[in-house]
Amino acid sequence: MLNILFICSRNRWRSLTAETIYKKHKTVRVKSAGTENNARIKVNAKHLNWADIVFVMENHHKEKIIQQFPNECNNIEIVILEIPDEYKYMDKELIEEIQDSVSCYISDKL
């Protein structure tokens, strides 16, 4: 099983959509979190220690978690999906963009 963490800013639209898409996947376990103080679930060290791969929506998410959790990020793969904050939760285009970016990456890891 592969543990995947999805991160965006507030964990309400992008990362939560990604978690919803993959939560019933047979070969991965998923969680999602946000980098902002007002996030639905705020990312913490425990999330990063749990994850095998972290998918962030934008570069500034990667920079923020590396700054806040340098030790936890030392041995973890962080992939930037480059998905801007212009979608709502479960938006059809967002789902397609996440699946296009993540699915082939996951299949290479399994």
Side-chain angles (χ1 to χ4, degrees), residues 16-76:
L16 186 57
T17 295
E19 179 182 7
T20 301
I21 293 168
Y22 289 99
K23 70 181 174 187
K24 293 185 180 177
H25 197 280
K26 292 179 168 87
T27 57
V28 299
R29 287 184 289 257
V30 295
K31 293 182 181 181
S32 66
T35 58
E36 299 300 317
N37 288 332
N38 66 346
R40 187 182 68 84
I41 296 172
K42 188 164 172 30
V43 66
N44 59 46
K46 188 176 178 181
H47 289 121
L48 296 166
N49 288 327
W50 170 85
D52 297 313
I53 301 172
V54 176
F55 288 100
V56 297
M57 298 300 154
E58 299 176 76
N59 187 55
H60 68 93
H61 299 124
K62 179 178 180 176
E63 292 171 357
K64 194 163 190 176
I65 62 172
I66 289 172
Q67 180 183 8
Q68 290 179 344
F69 308 101
N71 295 333
E72 290 80 2
C73 291
N74 273 339
N75 298 315
I76 195 165

Side-chain angles (χ1 to χ4, degrees), residues 4-8 48 52-63 65-66 76-83 98 101-106 109:
I4 298 174
L5 177 63
F6 291 101
I7 295 177
C8 68
L48 296 166
D52 297 313
I53 301 172
V54 176
F55 288 100
V56 297
M57 298 300 154
E58 299 176 76
N59 187 55
H60 68 93
H61 299 124
K62 179 178 180 176
E63 292 171 357
I65 62 172
I66 289 172
I76 195 165
E77 187 170 6
I78 303 171
V79 179
I80 304 166
L81 296 177
E82 297 182 18
I83 298 176
I98 290 169
S101 300
V102 174
S103 293
C104 62
Y105 197 89
I106 291 173
K109 295 290 181 183

